[in-house]
Amino acid sequence: MRITLDNGYDMLEKAYKSHLLKNSATVDPSYFLKHDMSPRVNDIKIMTEEDQVIKIGVWLLKQPRIPNNFLSYYSEIRGAQILKNIKNIAEAQKTLQVASRSKLSTVRKPIQRLDKNDILTDIESCFVMCSSLLILFELEEKLMVKAIPDTSKRAQVFRELVSRPLAYVVLQTQKVVNEKDVGIIPLLPLLHLLSQNYARFHNLATNSIGDVQFDSLMRQLQVKCSSYVNEVIENLNEDTTKYVPPDGNVHPTTASTLNFLSSLTAHRVTVTQHVLALTAPQGSNTNLLLPKLFARILSALGSMLKKKANIYDDPTLATIFLLNNYNYIAKTLADEQDGLLPAITEMNSNILSFYHEEIATCTNEYLKSWNGISSVLKSVERIGEDKQMARQIMSTFVREFDQVLAQQTDYCISDPKMSSNVQTAVKNRIEKNYFHLLDICQRLHVFPQGIKYTENAFEMAIRNLFSSAKIN
């Protein structure tokens, strides 16, 4: 009788295992490649048919037989299925990224090296694996409530089940974090995800039967992000490259630095609590950690720009360079979408006024390049009826005007509004006296063959200032 009962148990357990293997579903990766998963979680099926697994498991749990081999089958088969699904999702993510990159390369030249794109793909893959793992575990727990109603046995099975997929994801993420060098920005979404779900991951790793180094991963990720932040400041302070835009446009480092600040702002809580707090002195006001960092970075950027300006042989072009960069910084700070200004003004409420003052100083410094022409035109009031004097002043003006235009032909002010403002300032400085000179020369018929700079020609010349490479 006992042997018959044991044989019956064995048959049921084999049937249980068979149903598990047959009905464990390979999930559709597309569900997991969206950043907002919550509305679609209930659409994901991790078992094609769960009724038989539940019925057999519930009945077997009520029997006095020990050990319960079917529970080992559950943890082994379901754990392996989760691992398989995670690998499939990661592979689908990489395929999607490669396809997207290939599509972009058909419409524009690639701006990043292939190896950097591969690193970004690896980081995105880690993000998707971590977020997907939480979802798959959540779905598994819902199934287990029905399949293994006994709380203590369910907890033990879950500890065994999570071990392999969790260890795999943590190990793969550690490998990418430790071996890849891509900068802090691509790592911030991953750091945000792991920090937001720290308690969940920590408990899973601690309770798992395997040796899962999640806390080590978190520490490595935080330290690496912290080192990247320090590296940005060091690179600005120690920059010795000689490149400056030949037209005085915005330096690439200015744009990249402001993009960096915007990205940190988007992840302010994560950066403050999990990056900056690592090295902050004890007792520091954590609310000011990010504003203080921004102040240091902007100060270092300002020093770098002044050093870059000294590279120009043409001091007027150097002024245009500073004007462009200060204006770019001010506009970016004032952009509500980036959210930079509120963070920075917590440390320095006058930061925007400072840059506006710098812009005004640069504008006035640039206008000095027109002082020679202004001086020439000051003599207009003394012409009277003197044709010779009128001819001399007009000839001198044309020569000086041509020289300034030739010198500044490659100058660029990239912001159309700022360009227009400076053009207006130039126009206001010389237009009145020049038009007076033009009227006198026309009235006295000083140049019967015609004058080079009529009103229209003069205004066109002013409008063409700074137009070498405008960026809208």
Side-chain angles (χ1 to χ4, degrees), residues 108-121:
R108 66 184 182 190
K109 293 182 179 179
I111 58 174
Q112 294 176 320
R113 297 173 315 187
L114 181 60
D115 58 345
K116 185 171 184 179
N117 280 320
D118 289 341
I119 294 172
L120 294 175
T121 299

Side-chain angles (χ1 to χ4, degrees), residues 202-214:
H202 173 77
N203 290 335
L204 286 168
T206 302
N207 295 324
S208 167
I209 63 169
D211 183 21
V212 181
Q213 300 293 317
F214 174 72

Side-chain angles (χ1 to χ4, degrees), residues 101-132:
R101 192 168 67 217
S102 299
K103 185 177 180 181
L104 282 175
S105 67
T106 63
V107 296
R108 66 184 182 190
K109 293 182 179 179
I111 58 174
Q112 294 176 320
R113 297 173 315 187
L114 181 60
D115 58 345
K116 185 171 184 179
N117 280 320
D118 289 341
I119 294 172
L120 294 175
T121 299
D122 288 340
I123 293 171
E124 182 68 19
S125 178
C126 290
F127 177 92
V128 170
M129 282 196 296
C130 290
S131 60
S132 301

Side-chain angles (χ1 to χ4, degrees), residues 184-199:
I184 187 176
I185 303 307
L187 292 175
L188 287 178
L190 177 62
L191 178 60
H192 176 73
L193 172 69
L194 297 184
S195 61
Q196 285 288 95
N197 296 280
Y198 175 80

Side-chain angles (χ1 to χ4, degrees), residues 128-271:
V128 170
M129 282 196 296
C130 290
S131 60
S132 301
L133 190 65
L134 291 178
I135 294 166
L136 289 174
F137 282 164
E138 178 187 342
L139 292 170
E140 195 66 40
E141 287 180 294
K142 289 180 179 179
L143 172 62
M144 291 178 69
V145 169
K146 296 179 287 184
I148 311 174
D150 185 299
T151 304
S152 61
K153 286 184 170 58
R154 183 170 70 243
Q156 178 59 28
V157 170
F158 191 68
R159 289 179 65 235
E160 296 171 359
L161 177 151
V162 303
S163 179
R164 286 180 61 202
L166 181 61
Y168 175 81
V169 170
V170 169
L171 189 62
Q172 292 300 309
T173 305
Q174 273 185 312
K175 184 177 180 182
V176 170
V177 169
N178 291 334
E179 297 179 6
K180 309 297 184 180
D181 185 11
V182 73
I184 187 176
I185 303 307
L187 292 175
L188 287 178
L190 177 62
L191 178 60
H192 176 73
L193 172 69
L194 297 184
S195 61
Q196 285 288 95
N197 296 280
Y198 175 80
R200 176 67 168 151
F201 275 112
H202 173 77
N203 290 335
L204 286 168
T206 302
N207 295 324
S208 167
I209 63 169
D211 183 21
V212 181
Q213 300 293 317
F214 174 72
D215 284 349
S216 176
L217 164 63
M218 276 298 293
R219 181 67 183 178
Q220 290 163 353
L221 183 55
Q222 290 173 295
V223 168
K224 189 150 194 175
C225 287
S226 179
S227 68
Y228 279 135
V229 169
N230 294 330
E231 188 178 287
V232 168
I233 299 173
E234 290 173 6
N235 288 343
L236 289 172
N237 287 330
E238 299 174 8
D239 186 299
T240 57
T241 59
K242 298 297 183 182
Y243 171 76
V244 287
D247 56 1
N249 211 325
V250 177
H251 197 281
T253 301
T254 302
S256 63
T257 301
L258 270 294
N259 286 337
F260 173 75
L261 297 184
S262 296
S263 297
L264 294 190
T265 303
H267 295 277
R268 176 169 184 170
V269 174
T270 301
V271 171

Side-chain angles (χ1 to χ4, degrees), residues 427-440:
K427 191 175 178 181
N428 291 340
R429 176 163 288 212
I430 62 177
E431 180 186 64
K432 181 179 178 181
N433 283 342
Y434 177 67
F435 283 176
H436 188 191
L437 173 63
L438 191 61
D439 288 341
I440 292 173

Side-chain angles (χ1 to χ4, degrees), residues 308-372:
K308 296 291 185 188
N310 290 332
I311 296 174
Y312 287 101
D313 294 327
D314 178 355
T316 305
L317 183 55
T319 299
I320 292 294
F321 169 75
L322 290 175
L323 174 64
N324 273 315
N325 283 272
Y326 291 147
N327 184 58
Y328 182 89
I329 295 171
K331 285 188 67 177
T332 304
L333 293 182
D335 188 343
E336 294 181 2
Q337 187 173 352
D338 287 328
L340 278 173
L341 192 58
I344 296 174
T345 52
E346 292 174 28
M347 189 69 190
N348 184 353
S349 59
N350 298 318
I351 186 69
L352 205 54
S353 298
F354 165 79
Y355 283 108
H356 287 156
E357 289 171 4
E358 291 294 305
I359 291 168
T361 298
C362 288
T363 301
N364 289 333
E365 188 65 27
Y366 164 74
L367 290 174
K368 290 180 181 178
S369 66
W370 296 89
N371 282 352

